[in-house]
Coordinates of all heavy atoms in Angstrom, one line a residue:
F660 N 3.1 -18.8 -9.7 CA 4.0 -17.5 -9.5 C 5.5 -18.1 -9.4 O 5.8 -18.6 -8.4 CB 3.6 -16.7 -8.4 CG 2.3 -16.1 -8.6 CD1 1.1 -16.7 -8.5 CD2 2.2 -14.6 -9.0 CE1 -0.1 -16.1 -8.8 CE2 0.9 -14.1 -9.2 CZ -0.3 -14.8 -9.0
D661 N 6.2 -17.9 -10.6 CA 7.4 -18.6 -10.6 C 8.6 -17.8 -10.9 O 8.5 -16.7 -11.5 CB 7.4 -19.7 -11.7 CG 6.4 -20.7 -11.3 OD1 6.4 -21.2 -10.2 OD2 5.6 -21.3 -12.3
G662 N 9.7 -18.2 -10.2 CA 10.9 -17.4 -10.3 C 10.7 -16.0 -9.8 O 10.0 -15.9 -8.8
M663 N 11.2 -15.0 -10.4 CA 10.9 -13.7 -10.0 C 10.2 -12.8 -11.0 O 10.0 -11.7 -10.7 CB 12.3 -13.0 -9.6 CG 12.8 -13.7 -8.3 SD 14.3 -13.2 -7.7 CE 15.3 -14.4 -8.3
S664 N 9.9 -13.6 -12.1 CA 9.3 -12.7 -13.1 C 8.2 -13.3 -13.9 O 7.8 -12.7 -15.0 CB 10.4 -12.3 -14.1 OG 11.0 -13.4 -14.7
T692 N 3.2 -21.5 -5.9 CA 4.5 -20.9 -6.3 C 5.6 -22.1 -6.2 O 5.5 -22.8 -5.4 CB 4.8 -19.7 -5.4 OG1 6.2 -19.3 -5.7 CG2 4.8 -20.1 -3.9
G694 N 8.6 -21.0 -5.4 CA 9.6 -20.4 -4.6 C 9.7 -18.9 -4.8 O 8.9 -18.3 -5.4
N695 N 10.8 -18.3 -4.2 CA 11.1 -17.0 -4.2 C 9.9 -16.0 -3.6 O 9.8 -14.9 -4.0 CB 11.3 -16.5 -5.7 CG 12.4 -17.1 -6.4 OD1 13.5 -16.9 -5.8 ND2 12.3 -18.0 -7.3
A696 N 9.1 -16.6 -2.8 CA 8.1 -15.8 -2.1 C 8.8 -14.9 -1.0 O 10.0 -15.0 -0.9 CB 7.2 -16.8 -1.3
P697 N 8.2 -13.9 -0.4 CA 6.7 -13.7 -0.5 C 6.2 -13.2 -1.8 O 6.9 -12.4 -2.4 CB 6.4 -12.6 0.6 CG 7.7 -12.0 0.8 CD 8.8 -13.0 0.6
H698 N 5.1 -13.7 -2.3 CA 4.3 -13.2 -3.5 C 2.9 -12.7 -3.0 O 2.1 -13.5 -2.8 CB 4.2 -14.2 -4.5 CG 5.4 -14.9 -5.0 ND1 6.4 -14.2 -5.8 CD2 5.9 -16.2 -5.0 CE1 7.4 -15.0 -6.1 NE2 7.1 -16.3 -5.6
P699 N 2.8 -11.4 -2.6 CA 1.5 -10.9 -2.4 C 0.8 -10.7 -3.7 O 1.2 -9.9 -4.5 CB 1.8 -9.5 -1.7 CG 3.3 -9.4 -1.7 CD 3.9 -10.4 -2.6
V700 N -0.2 -11.6 -3.8 CA -1.0 -11.7 -5.1 C -2.1 -10.6 -5.1 O -3.0 -10.7 -4.2 CB -1.6 -13.1 -5.4 CG1 -2.3 -13.2 -6.7 CG2 -0.4 -14.1 -5.5
L732 N 1.0 -15.2 -0.6 CA 1.3 -16.5 -0.9 C 2.9 -16.7 -0.6 O 3.8 -16.0 -1.1 CB 1.2 -16.6 -2.5 CG 1.5 -18.0 -3.2 CD1 0.5 -19.0 -2.7 CD2 1.5 -17.7 -4.7
H754 N -1.1 -9.3 -10.4 CA 0.4 -9.3 -10.3 C 0.8 -9.5 -9.0 O 0.0 -9.5 -8.0 CB 1.0 -8.0 -10.9 CG 0.5 -6.8 -10.1 ND1 1.2 -6.2 -9.0 CD2 -0.6 -6.0 -10.4 CE1 0.5 -5.2 -8.6 NE2 -0.5 -5.0 -9.4
C755 N 2.1 -9.9 -8.8 CA 2.7 -9.9 -7.6 C 3.0 -8.5 -7.1 O 3.5 -7.7 -7.8 CB 4.1 -10.6 -7.7 SG 4.9 -10.7 -6.1
H756 N 2.6 -8.2 -5.8 CA 2.7 -6.9 -5.3 C 4.1 -6.7 -4.6 O 4.3 -5.7 -3.9 CB 1.6 -6.4 -4.4 CG 1.2 -5.0 -4.5 ND1 2.0 -4.0 -4.1 CD2 0.1 -4.5 -5.1 CE1 1.4 -2.9 -4.4 NE2 0.3 -3.0 -5.0
K757 N 5.0 -7.7 -4.6 CA 6.4 -7.4 -4.5 C 6.7 -6.5 -5.7 O 6.9 -7.1 -6.8 CB 7.1 -8.6 -4.4 CG 8.6 -8.4 -3.9 CD 9.5 -9.5 -4.1 CE 9.5 -10.3 -2.8 NZ 10.4 -11.5 -2.7
L758 N 7.0 -5.2 -5.6 CA 7.0 -4.5 -6.7 C 8.3 -4.8 -7.7 O 8.2 -4.6 -8.8 CB 7.1 -3.0 -6.4 CG 5.8 -2.5 -5.6 CD1 6.0 -1.1 -5.1 CD2 4.6 -2.8 -6.3
E759 N 9.3 -5.4 -7.1 CA 10.4 -5.7 -8.0 C 10.0 -7.0 -8.9 O 10.4 -7.0 -10.1 CB 11.6 -6.1 -7.1 CG 12.3 -4.8 -6.5 CD 11.5 -4.2 -5.5 OE1 10.8 -4.9 -4.7 OE2 11.5 -2.9 -5.4
H760 N 9.2 -7.9 -8.4 CA 8.7 -8.9 -9.1 C 7.7 -8.4 -10.2 O 7.8 -8.8 -11.3 CB 8.0 -10.0 -8.3 CG 8.9 -10.8 -7.5 ND1 8.4 -11.7 -6.6 CD2 10.2 -10.8 -7.4 CE1 9.4 -12.5 -6.1 NE2 10.6 -11.8 -6.4
E761 N 6.9 -7.5 -9.7 CA 5.9 -6.9 -10.8 C 6.7 -6.2 -11.9 O 6.5 -6.5 -13.2 CB 5.1 -5.8 -10.1 CG 4.1 -5.0 -11.1 CD 3.4 -3.9 -10.4 OE1 3.2 -3.9 -9.3 OE2 3.0 -2.9 -11.2
M765 N 6.3 -10.2 -13.3 CA 5.3 -11.1 -12.7 C 3.9 -10.5 -12.6 O 3.4 -10.2 -11.5 CB 5.8 -11.6 -11.3 CG 5.1 -12.7 -10.7 SD 5.8 -13.2 -9.0 CE 7.1 -14.4 -9.6
Ligands
CU903 CU1 6.5 -12.3 -6.2

Side-chain angles (χ1 to χ4, degrees):
F660 291 75
D661 291 324
M663 287 177 263
S664 62
T692 175
N695 301 294
H698 302 296
V700 178
L732 181 67
H754 59 91
C755 178
H756 218 289
K757 182 189 274 187
L758 298 179
E759 288 67 39
H760 286 183
E761 173 184 338
M765 193 175 274

